[in-house]
């Protein structure tokens, strides 16, 4: 399941509405699953079900952070945050990575303890029913989140979706562990718990890496950078483009570049050309902050 599909940008109002709906749906889903899995964990005593419960508990914390971060990131720029509040979403993603790592370590400790002190798994039917419910709810949430990601490109929702994608694997493995316990092989339950913990930790590293890249103002992919250069060069009288710098802040793209223009152009004409370039780029990247500097072509450096 690819969660990094190239977004088809919606209007700013539609983006805000989709982001809010996605965060509300995430919190609601995780809350329902916590209640169901808590009952299943108490009834069955399964480490695999406990692993799934811990993961859902972390989901609520992470999704609540997402909800606050998305609301903050949608606030307009102010005097103290002239580029807006978009990086709040990357901070939320980093917070999720921390939550997920903590859940993985706690799960590993519980699994080791169960390996040393084996216990039978009871009332397996209840556990299986709850995990099947979790799989259905998670699939529904992921389907909606994928639509939101395509239209907004939100790093916070992408991190949340990656988290819930790992939940599918967690729940599927839990289902297998419960079936094996029902078949009389309850000793495999803590082993599955350890495997799930390792997988959860891996997902945390992936989420954290992407969040750090955004917070460190990592450049856009080369394909997008080349597209921006081509758009600028397509405007008549543009001789070249250099010193392109890009980064993403929430839904907004920050784009800075230098245009190479004829040395003898009047200032008013150079300004008009730069405005045309800005319009051309914004037509393809509507939610973008663009800064353009005009250079004499004789001093330009292709880049």
């Amino acid at each position: 399941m690819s969660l990094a599909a190239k977004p088809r940008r919606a209007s700013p109002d539609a983006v805000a509405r989709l982001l809010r709906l996605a965060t509300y749906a995430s919190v609601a889903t995780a809350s329902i699953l916590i209640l169901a899995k808590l009952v299943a964990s108490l009834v069955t005593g399964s480490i695999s079900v406990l692993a799934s419960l811990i993961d859902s508990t972390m989901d609520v914390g992470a999704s609540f952070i997402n909800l606050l971060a998305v609301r903050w990131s949608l606030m307009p720029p102010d005097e103290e945050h002239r580029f807006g509040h978009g990086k709040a979403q990357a901070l939320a993603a980093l917070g999720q990575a921390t939550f997920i790592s903590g859940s993985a370590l706690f799960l590993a400790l519980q699994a080791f303890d169960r390996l040393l002190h084996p216990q039978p798994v009871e009332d397996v039917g209840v556990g299986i029913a709850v995990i099947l419910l979790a799989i259905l709810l998670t699939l529904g949430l992921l389907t909606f989140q994928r639509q939101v990601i395509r239209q907004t490109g939100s790093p916070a929702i992408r991190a949340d979706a990656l988290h819930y994608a790992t939940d599918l694997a967690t729940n599927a493995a839990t289902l297998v562990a419960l079936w094996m316990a029902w078949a009389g092989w309850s000793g495999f339950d803590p082993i599955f718990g350890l495997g799930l913990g390792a997988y959860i930790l891996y997902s945390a590293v992936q989420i954290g890496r992407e969040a750090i890249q955004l917070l460190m103002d990592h450049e856009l992919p080369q394909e997008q950078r080349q597209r921006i250069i081509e758009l600028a060069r397509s405007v008549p009288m543009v001789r070249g483009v250099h010193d392109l710098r890009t980064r993403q802040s929430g839904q907004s793209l920050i784009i800075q570049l230098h245009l190479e223009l004829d040395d003898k152009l009047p200032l008013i004409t150079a300004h008009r050309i730069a405005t045309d370039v800005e319009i051309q780029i914004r037509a393809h990247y509507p939610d973008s902050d663009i800064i353009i500097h005009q250079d004499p072509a004789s001093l330009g450096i292709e880049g």
Side-chain angles (χ1 to χ4, degrees):
M1 181 186 304
S2 174
L3 299 175
K6 186 177 180 179
R8 297 194 295 269
R9 299 286 180 179
S11 67
D13 288 342
V15 165
R17 180 177 59 83
L18 285 170
L19 290 177
R20 291 190 180 99
L21 284 175
T23 55
Y24 295 152
S26 180
V27 171
T29 300
S31 299
I32 293 171
L33 292 180
I34 278 181
L35 293 176
K37 291 177 182 179
L38 176 61
V39 172
S41 179
L42 293 174
V43 170
T44 64
S46 167
I47 282 292
S48 296
V49 174
L50 175 63
S52 192
L53 170 62
I54 292 171
D55 199 37
S56 291
T57 303
M58 295 301 102
D59 286 345
V60 166
S63 296
F64 185 69
I65 289 175
N66 252 9
L67 190 153
L68 296 178
V70 165
R71 289 175 65 90
W72 191 17
S73 72
L74 293 174
M75 294 172 59
D78 54 37
E79 289 297 323
E80 295 182 349
H81 306 88
R82 300 301 294 271
F83 287 97
H85 304 79
K87 284 191 177 181
Q89 294 194 41
L91 287 171
L94 194 59
Q96 285 198 55
T98 304
F99 270 113
I100 299 170
S101 298
S103 68
L105 294 175
F106 180 78
L107 174 58
L109 291 175
Q110 293 297 311
F112 274 122
D113 181 71
R114 186 59 61 87
L115 280 172
L116 296 175
H117 307 94
Q119 296 180 23
V121 178
E122 302 175 353
D123 293 323
V124 174
V126 174
I128 290 176
V130 168
I131 296 304
L132 286 173
L133 172 65
I135 289 174
L136 291 176
L137 288 177
T138 303
L139 279 172
L141 177 62
L142 274 172
T143 300
F144 177 55
Q145 285 180 325
R146 284 174 60 84
Q147 296 298 321
V148 173
I149 291 167
R150 287 195 187 98
Q151 297 185 58
T152 69
S154 167
I157 303 302
R158 185 178 292 114
D160 209 34
L162 180 58
H163 193 180
Y164 280 101
T166 66
D167 282 358
L168 279 182
T170 300
N171 290 325
T174 302
L175 199 60
V176 173
L178 288 172
W179 177 81
M180 294 181 75
W182 176 76
W185 300 323
S186 58
F188 284 94
D189 183 53
I191 296 175
F192 269 86
L194 283 173
L196 292 173
Y199 187 64
I200 292 170
L201 186 60
Y202 171 77
S203 72
V205 172
Q206 298 297 104
I207 293 171
R209 182 190 306 173
E210 181 176 348
I212 290 171
Q213 293 281 30
L214 290 171
L215 291 170
M216 294 295 291
D217 292 333
H218 192 269
E219 285 281 353
L220 295 179
Q222 184 58 36
E223 179 183 348
Q224 282 184 272
R225 286 171 50 80
Q226 187 59 40
R227 178 60 175 155
I228 292 170
I229 292 173
E230 290 172 357
L231 290 170
R233 284 177 168 167
S234 70
V235 174
M237 302 182 71
V238 172
R239 296 279 191 87
V241 178
H242 65 269
D243 286 351
L244 172 64
R245 294 193 293 174
T246 61
R247 63 185 173 92
Q248 183 161 350
S249 179
Q251 269 55 66
S252 297
L253 299 181
I254 312 298
I255 301 170
Q256 301 178 16
L257 57 86
H258 287 227
L259 292 181
E260 298 166 20
L261 306 174
D262 188 271
D263 293 22
K264 297 180 181 181
L265 281 179
L267 178 59
I268 188 68
T269 304
H271 175 75
R272 177 183 56 77
I273 295 169
T275 300
D276 289 345
V277 169
E278 183 176 343
I279 292 171
Q280 182 81 330
I281 294 174
R282 188 163 282 120
H284 291 77
Y285 301 97
D287 195 358
S288 57
D289 189 316
I290 304 170
I291 299 175
I292 298 175
H293 181 80
Q294 300 102 28
D295 284 338
S298 61
L299 299 179
I301 303 173
E302 284 288 323

